[in-house]
Amino acid sequence: MQTLPDRLAAVRERIARAAERVRRDPAQILLLAVTKVFPVSFIREAYDLGLRDFGENYVQEFETKAPQVSGLQGARFHLIGHLQSNKSSKAAELFAVIHTVDSIRLARRLNEAGRSLDLMLEVKLSPEQAKSGATPEELPELIAAVRACHNLRLLGLMTMPPWSDDPELSRPYFRDLRELAERHALPQLSMGMSGDFEVAIEEGSTCVRVGTALFGKRIKA
Ligand SMILES: *Cc1c(COP(=O)(O)O)cnc(C)c1O
């Protein structure tokens, strides 16, 4: 059995090698540890190994974990799962960064929660991708609306390519996302998961969202 320190070292090594191939500084790539479904003990162990950024998918699940991790100084929790607008004020309370904003309505609800939030906009680049996400055509209006919200700081774009065991199939999605971000002068790209984060880094990712490669397979309840 591999331990978390081993897996973390292996992931960091993979990040470093991918960055090196495209002459990027690995320090500019955030490793977001995805702890959805896993118990709080996993967050604590990762924190003790120096990780500070954690990704969760479900507002309700994290609501039960949050009181147990409130003592972890400097830890930042990111919502990376789809957010319904009726959960927006709870999400604004629990998370520092929301990666999945995909509508003006949701952005305004988050702004009205009255807390400072960092945001990424989730983009759906093809019909094969999950249902959520704004289309590239919707982005200009969405970006303008978010920039007008004084509690929201827009960091960049996020996407999730259709699942595949060939990471090269993710590359065109990552490339499209980077081009969109450049077009809109957005500095950050949340892209790449356990199976394809090296390709994402080669295409400019600034935040890789890694669960399985750090914590092992999730046994979904
Ligand atoms: C679960 C999840 C991840 C992590 O996936 P792994 O393949 O376990 O690394 C990343 N991003 C999102 C949006 C997820 O839902």
Side-chain angles (χ1 to χ4, degrees), residues 107-179:
R108 293 201 174 130
R109 292 285 288 266
L110 287 167
N111 187 54
E112 284 157 15
R115 295 184 166 233
S116 301
L117 275 176
D118 286 345
L119 291 196
M120 308 275 223
L121 303 177
E122 183 176 0
V123 185
K124 178 180 159 88
L125 295 157
S126 93
E128 280 71 50
Q129 282 176 278
K131 285 184 288 297
S132 45
T135 64
E137 294 72 36
E138 289 166 336
L139 269 188
E141 221 186 322
L142 178 55
I143 290 170
V146 170
R147 284 187 170 143
C149 291
H150 58 279
N151 289 319
L152 308 181
R153 183 165 69 136
L154 181 56
L155 301 180
L157 303 179
M158 178 271 203
T159 201
M160 207 158 106
W163 193 89
S164 153
D165 52 20
D166 178 2
E168 283 302 324
L169 296 183
S170 297
R171 191 183 295 277
Y173 292 89
F174 297 152
R175 194 166 284 172
D176 285 356
L177 196 72
R178 183 188 58 201
E179 283 171 11

Side-chain angles (χ1 to χ4, degrees), residues 34 36 57 80-81 158 160 192-195 209-213 218:
V34 176
K36 63 169 173 228
N57 281 61
I80 61 171
M158 178 271 203
M160 207 158 106
M193 316 191 345
S194 291
R209 309 179 309 263
V210 180
T212 311
R218 287 177 293 273

Side-chain angles (χ1 to χ4, degrees), residues 21 25-26 48-49 52 59 75-76 79 84 91 98 113 136 146 156 159 165 175 179 207 209-210 220:
R21 281 198 290 280
D25 175 4
D48 288 340
L49 293 169
R52 291 293 177 270
V59 174
R76 283 159 53 87
L79 180 68
Q84 291 168 304
I98 314 266
V146 170
T159 201
D165 52 20
R175 194 166 284 172
E179 283 171 11
C207 173
R209 309 179 309 263
V210 180
K220 189 94 216 271

